[in-house]
Amino acid sequence: MTTPTDATAPTADDVRAALAEAADPARAASSARFFKTGPGEYGEGDRFIGVTVPATRAVAKRFATLPLDGVGELLADPEHEHRLCALVILVARFDRASAARTRDDGERAGLARFHLAAVRAGRVDNWDLVDVSADRILGEFVRDPGAMDAAARAGLDLALLDELAASGDLWERRVAIMSTFAFLKHGDAAPTLRLAERLLDDPHDLIHKATGWMRVRPPGGPRDAHRLPRRERPADAAHHAVVRDRAPGPGRAGTLPRHALTAAADGDRVARRLARMVRMSRTARGAHILITGAAGGMGRMYAQRAVAEGAASVVLWDRDAQGLARTADELGAAARGRTQVRSYAVDVSELGAIAKAAHKVRREVGDPDVLVNNAGIVRGNRYFWESHAGDDVRPTMLVNALAPMYVTHEFLPGMIRSDRPARIVNIGSAAGTLANPRMAVYAASKAALNGWSDSLRLELQQAGHRHITVTTVTPSYISTGMFHGARGPLLAPILEPEYVVDRVWRAMLDGRPLVELPRSVRLSRALRGLLPTRVFDRVVGDGFGVYRSMEEFRGRG
């Protein structure tokens, strides 16, 4: 089907036909289950034809000039994807009417009223339909009515959001709180906090989740600091922060008086707590961070980044007591009292030492919000049968594979009990995804780490602990001295540590699950799955030089 030309206005039937072409009955059945369409569920009676969201958006883009009458027809359809497509078209139309060059406040007001009528008619009746449109149309107009006089914008103000929040209809209440997202994007937390107080006792979890996704942007912060990436938002976290404050001791909570909300916008404890949760998305300010292998190299660089961003505390672990003391002194001087820097001499190859140090950290600092499992050693330039079981194999497996598990096992329960966003970063290696001669034990240790780390990520998601994210890092060789003498294969040059630290740090804050550096690591992994083993050995191992990269290795462990 071709997109109608300007001479032929598109119709609702054109959109329906385009969506039908992309429909998938199997996906329709899956979507019906996902959006809870069974008897007594929140989406009871909703019908799906099985079109993906990207495909729906593509159809909406093709028929962006659909007249409002056609949009209204689609909104009246029982098919969920028809209504979603209509709302996407409506949002795009409102965006055009709001753009500087094409600003039309009359058009904006008309579209806002059109959207409100659809909400009140029960056409915006599932959470994705609300979330795709509420803040983009109704919320944005309430925030910025433009040059419209009072009569023209009557009924489209903050009082409307209060009215919707008091509605007996689930979706009208969700429209109310999601509309305040428009204010949050521009640094105004007051409407969200006011409605959050009203919705504290709402009987439906979809309202608490929507409230929990809201983020308060600190004054002067980046425009996108109001939230974590959508896929990583911890449901209920911010909403719970409104009514709960962490008391001394892990896992204990005390209740805040409701009136605390009224002062939140002025910077009281609730606002600071919410703002701290925001900043986790773009900075580590106010976070408690523990880094292993922190006496030097990249561990020290992670610590420097934490101090520079204003972390509340930075805890350093390393077996090198002298190097640890020097790093702690350096960081303490740089912090100038803004960040508490604590160091503990710990041999992470010893389970008992880890347990003892963890106990001290919990007692003296508290559970960390960010755990960076950075400690690692390498023994190389020998074939496996030439390595020593006690001096090479055992310590490599203990430090690289088991220590991150032991350390995480100590602190993860506290992270789970807390409602604060938390991050776990596990520094693996590309060697754990790609076998390489002369580093068999190292590759085995990192393969174990990579597998455990990503499994932990999935377990936390499955168990509902979405306020904790796990980032697995698989870099190629880095010029820290640890791999001195190793040669970078074709398409995988030796990486600069500053570059790696920056990429890892930003990925950690964003909650990304995997960091592969450089990009050729991902290519090698893909080729490993596509090519027969012998062909892969010839092309990547010999052709790219991967299998010869450790021949001149003489780095430190």
Side-chain angles (χ1 to χ4, degrees):
M1 177 184 294
T2 60
T3 304
T5 65
D6 293 336
T8 306
T11 67
D13 284 339
D14 294 328
V15 178
R16 293 184 184 109
L19 291 170
E21 291 178 357
D24 179 355
R27 182 178 295 277
S30 176
S31 296
R33 291 190 298 271
F34 181 77
F35 285 96
K36 308 296 184 184
T37 62
E41 295 183 308
Y42 63 72
E44 181 177 358
D46 207 352
R47 287 166 49 180
F48 288 82
I49 60 175
V51 184
T52 65
V53 173
T56 302
R57 288 187 176 277
V59 171
K61 187 174 181 179
R62 285 175 58 192
F63 299 99
T65 58
L66 179 70
L68 275 184
D69 288 346
V71 174
E73 286 185 46
L74 293 176
L75 284 171
D77 284 352
E79 291 80 10
H80 185 100
E81 291 90 344
H82 292 186
R83 302 197 303 282
L84 176 61
C85 189
L87 290 168
V88 173
I89 292 172
L90 200 64
V91 167
R93 187 162 175 169
F94 187 89
D95 286 347
R96 287 195 298 272
S98 301
R101 292 185 178 181
T102 55
R103 176 98 179 191
D104 185 337
D105 288 330
E107 172 81 354
R108 294 173 78 249
L111 293 172
R113 293 191 186 282
F114 187 93
H115 180 259
L116 178 60
V119 169
R120 286 180 163 160
R123 307 304 188 192
V124 185
D125 57 351
N126 215 313
W127 59 263
D128 63 322
L129 304 180
V130 172
D131 295 2
V132 80
S133 61
D135 67 294
R136 299 285 298 278
I137 301 176
L138 199 57
E140 190 57 38
F141 184 84
V142 171
R143 187 196 68 82
D144 175 21
M148 303 298 293
D149 58 34
R153 64 173 185 265
L156 293 174
D157 51 20
L158 285 172
L160 169 64
L161 302 188
D162 291 330
E163 177 187 338
L164 292 173
S167 171
D169 181 78
L170 164 65
W171 305 117
E172 290 189 9
R173 299 198 304 277
R174 187 169 175 112
V175 165
I177 188 64
M178 289 302 297
S179 292
T180 68
F181 197 12
F183 291 84
L184 286 180
K185 293 175 185 177
H186 292 81
D188 184 359
T192 300
L193 291 170
R194 187 179 69 253
L195 292 192
E197 182 180 21
R198 172 169 290 181
L199 296 169
L200 284 175
D201 297 320
D202 196 280
H204 208 289
D205 69 317
L206 284 177
I207 299 302
H208 293 279
K209 289 178 179 178
T211 309
W213 288 338
M214 297 297 105
R215 292 292 185 269
V216 181
R217 183 172 68 91
R223 291 191 61 180
D224 58 349
H226 53 275
R227 59 186 173 104
L228 293 171
R230 184 173 293 268
R231 64 182 182 279
E232 300 298 342
R233 293 177 189 171
D236 300 328
H239 190 48
H240 289 175
V242 170
V243 293
R244 299 176 63 222
D245 190 49
R246 194 179 182 191
R252 295 172 57 195
T255 302
L256 282 176
R258 296 278 180 91
H259 64 73
L261 277 168
T262 61
D266 296 325
D268 73 352
R269 182 170 56 176
V270 176
R272 290 196 302 271
R273 179 172 175 78
L274 284 169
R276 182 185 175 282
M277 295 176 71
V278 175
R279 287 192 292 264
M280 187 69 170
S281 68
R282 288 294 180 267
T283 175
R285 180 179 297 278
H288 299 277
I289 301 174
L290 189 150
I291 304 166
T292 67
M298 294 178 63
R300 179 170 58 189
M301 295 173 69
Y302 289 123
Q304 290 170 338
R305 183 70 171 260
V307 168
E309 292 191 358
S313 67
V314 177
V315 176
L316 313 174
W317 281 17
D318 204 290
R319 65 181 180 180
D320 178 4
Q322 292 183 346
L324 195 61
R326 288 193 298 270
T327 297
D329 290 343
E330 171 196 322
L331 294 173
R336 297 180 181 179
R338 294 188 300 268
T339 299
Q340 180 186 14
V341 179
R342 303 295 292 267
S343 61
Y344 301 81
V346 186
D347 184 351
V348 294
S349 68
E350 297 288 340
L351 178 58
I354 291 173
K356 182 178 178 180
H359 177 73
K360 290 182 67 177
V361 169
R362 283 193 294 267
R363 185 180 69 244
E364 298 172 5
V365 183
D367 284 305
D369 303 310
V370 178
L371 171 61
V372 182
N373 284 308
N374 171 73
I377 61 174
V378 60
R379 303 282 192 267
N381 209 14
R382 285 193 293 267
Y383 293 118
F384 174 71
W385 59 87
E386 297 173 341
S387 59
H388 190 278
D391 294 338
D392 297 326
V393 178
R394 186 173 184 276
T396 300
M397 296 303 295
L398 283 172
V399 174
N400 293 356
L402 293 178
M405 299 184 198
Y406 292 154
V407 175
T408 303
H409 198 269
E410 284 288 340
F411 294 112
L412 186 55
M415 291 179 168
I416 290 174
R417 286 192 298 266
S418 172
D419 59 3
R420 299 181 302 183
R423 301 286 187 265
I424 298 172
V425 181
N426 296 312
I427 308 299
S429 171
T433 66
L434 182 65
N436 199 7
R438 298 180 181 270
M439 58 189 317
V441 178
Y442 180 81
S445 69
K446 292 301 185 179
L449 174 71
N450 294 351
W452 161 75
S453 181
D454 208 41
S455 294
L456 176 62
R457 174 184 67 85
L458 295 172
E459 288 176 351
L460 288 167
Q461 287 186 3
Q462 192 174 81
H465 304 306
R466 294 180 180 271
H467 64 291
I468 307 171
T469 63
V470 180
T471 299
T472 307
V473 184
T474 60
S476 185
Y477 301 128
I478 307 171
S479 61
T480 59
M482 187 173 179
F483 281 95
H484 183 64
R487 293 179 298 181
L490 183 66
L491 302 181
I494 302 294
L495 299 167
E496 292 299 322
E498 294 82 4
Y499 168 75
V500 176
V501 167
D502 181 66
R503 292 291 301 275
V504 171
W505 196 260
R506 288 190 285 123
M508 176 272 290
L509 293 174
D510 287 342
R512 277 180 262 159
L514 181 63
V515 179
E516 296 176 296
L517 298 172
R519 293 180 180 178
S520 56
V521 171
R522 184 176 302 176
L523 172 63
S524 297
R525 194 158 54 86
L527 291 176
R528 186 70 181 86
L530 292 172
L531 298 177
T533 299
R534 294 185 185 279
V535 174
F536 179 84
D537 288 346
R538 293 286 298 276
V539 173
V540 176
D542 297 331
F544 286 13
V546 174
Y547 293 172
R548 299 189 301 275
S549 61
M550 286 289 285
E551 289 178 351
E552 299 178 15
F553 167 78
R554 54 185 181 278
R556 54 175 172 80

